[in-house]
Amino acid sequence: MPRRLLVAAVAVAAAAIGVAAGLHFHQRVEEPLAIGGYVLERARTLPAIELVDESAAPFRTGDFAGHWSLLYFGFTYCPDVCPLTLVELARAKELLTAEQRGERVEYYFVSVDPQRDTPARLREYVAYFDPAFRGLTGSAGALAELARATETVFEVPEDNDSDNYLVSHSSNVVVLDPSGAVYAVLTPPHGAARLAADLTKILEHRASRR
Amino acid sequence: MTRLARALLLSASFAAGSAAADPLTIADAWLRATPPGARTAAAYLTIANDGPEDRLLGGSTPAARTVEVHTYVADGGLERMVHLPELEVPAGTEVRFTPGGPHLMLVDLAGPLVSGTSVAMTLRFARAGELVLDVPVIDARATPSPAVHGH
């Protein structure tokens, strides 16, 4: 082969490899998952935080490991968006049991109002929506740390001598993967069908990443 | 027809005090049945105003200490629930109170709100005066909410 032609062939081959590599690289750039919310670029491991569950037993963030977890932050004095979301989560749970393919999902209502929401109060509250729902709360410091780690915002008024103060909180549903790390955040409005569809996509997404 | 739709059709009939020429019409009123131990509840309804501008000043019910107008105001990542001392009901418009949006908050319930019952509620307006409603209590677990609005 004439030398010049050989150079040209090598150049073409190199270009082809480059294009192939480029395409390969391009394919690795993930399209954002089409869900009502977002998947974290890298799942975020939670710091060790001690909470208390609906039976007044200690609950550590490590206890989120071993199954998928959906966390919704609120307070039981919340008349509107908390019951609304918990009803939709309970319906989504029914829709999902058929599609989970062996993946376990636990549902947690995290009260950011420990002053009024005792474990006993939480237990009767979450059970009203679904007998399998769990309730969590903790010290103000523990709740603030959990909120920070889960992209959640809440605010309890400082002047709450009366029993009728209002607590503000974001209405996201936080999705933890079976390693207990924050995997995705679902944003309102939360309809059951959409919650179930989004969670199914998230489960598939993680399976395809691994 | 669902139980909820039937309830909505039957709901919000003025029990008393409504003049024939009343410009305000209230429809689709319902109260969320409460979980055990609840101290608060939310009521939802639509106010249609065929007359001049009016203002909703609040309400009352034997079922709770007070009835407040609440809405959400975006504040950073937070949706802050705020108590509105009054709510404008502009002429020729409809004001809707829906789950996840503006709602009437019943504070300090006298007892649980049980699905299938109904609760008398008085709404107080600056111009139209007092309107008395009979609001059905609905278990949202059993029936899809009429509307889910993001906030």
Side-chain angles (χ1 to χ4, degrees):
Chain A
M1 190 183 283
R3 190 176 164 80
R4 194 179 287 172
L5 201 56
L6 179 65
V7 169
V10 168
V12 167
I17 290 167
V19 166
L23 278 178
H24 182 65
F25 179 75
H26 182 72
Q27 280 166 354
R28 286 187 61 86
V29 174
E30 287 178 24
E31 290 287 313
L33 196 62
I35 56 171
Y38 54 94
V39 171
L40 273 65
E41 207 168 306
R42 186 171 297 177
R44 181 187 304 143
T45 305
L46 292 176
I49 304 170
E50 184 149 324
L51 303 163
V52 60
D53 74 7
E54 74 288 339
S55 308
F59 185 98
R60 293 167 190 85
T61 39
D63 296 334
F64 286 125
H67 50 77
W68 287 86
S69 305
L70 298 188
L71 274 61
Y72 181 72
F73 290 74
F75 63 118
T76 74
Y77 275 51
C78 165
D80 174 54
V81 72
C82 301
L84 167 67
T85 306
L86 290 169
V87 164
E88 296 302 325
L89 278 170
R91 286 212 187 98
K93 176 172 174 279
E94 295 307 311
L95 292 173
L96 274 168
T97 41
E99 303 175 19
Q100 272 171 36
R101 301 188 196 98
E103 300 253 30
R104 192 153 71 90
V105 184
E106 295 279 353
Y107 299 74
Y108 299 90
F109 177 71
V110 184
S111 171
V112 295
D113 186 16
Q115 181 174 328
R116 292 181 296 190
D117 291 340
T118 60
R121 169 90 195 91
L122 271 177
R123 186 169 49 201
E124 64 177 0
Y125 183 79
V126 297
Y128 172 81
F129 297 97
D130 190 293
F133 279 8
R134 306 286 310 275
L136 296 175
T137 190
S139 69
L143 292 166
E145 202 181 351
L146 182 65
R148 245 194 323 274
T150 54
E151 318 222 333
T152 299
V153 193
F154 74 92
E155 187 184 86
V156 180
E158 285 178 19
D159 175 29
N160 47 18
D161 293 341
S162 90
D163 207 31
N164 288 314
Y165 56 91
L166 292 174
V167 175
S168 297
H169 56 91
S170 46
S171 256
N172 296 334
V173 171
V174 179
V175 182
L176 308 184
D177 70 18
S179 78
V182 183
Y183 195 84
V185 176
L186 302 176
T187 51
H190 300 298
R194 208 206 67 184
L195 283 168
D198 285 358
L199 189 65
T200 303
K201 285 182 195 169
I202 289 168
L203 264 59
E204 287 166 359
H205 184 260
R206 186 168 186 268
S208 73
R209 258 188 184 179
R210 296 169 74 81
Chain B
M1 191 187 292
T2 66
R3 209 160 53 109
L4 175 65
R6 269 204 305 275
L8 290 178
L9 280 179
L10 294 172
S11 74
S13 49
F14 293 114
S18 155
D22 206 318
L24 297 182
T25 316
I26 300 188
D28 300 344
W30 64 285
L31 269 161
R32 187 184 288 285
T34 51
R39 301 288 304 279
T40 64
Y44 309 98
L45 48 83
T46 298
I47 305 168
N49 185 3
D50 294 327
E53 180 191 312
D54 208 335
R55 281 171 296 133
L56 175 60
L57 303 176
S60 61
T61 171
R65 184 173 57 78
T66 183
V67 177
E68 298 178 350
V69 180
H70 281 233
T71 193
Y72 297 95
V73 175
D75 177 8
L78 212 57
E79 294 290 336
R80 200 180 293 280
M81 191 162 79
V82 292
H83 170 204
L84 300 176
E86 56 177 57
L87 178 71
E88 222 178 275
V89 186
T93 62
E94 269 190 4
V95 173
R96 291 169 192 271
F97 294 84
T98 52
H103 53 275
L104 295 166
M105 179 168 171
L106 280 66
V107 183
D108 274 346
L109 292 175
L113 299 182
V114 179
S115 176
T117 64
S118 68
V119 168
M121 189 183 298
T122 303
L123 297 184
R124 204 155 35 81
F125 293 90
R127 188 186 287 267
E130 293 193 338
L131 301 183
V132 182
L133 317 171
D134 188 41
V135 185
V137 178
I138 292 174
D139 186 344
R141 294 174 303 176
T143 21
S145 305
V148 176
H149 284 228
H151 65 271

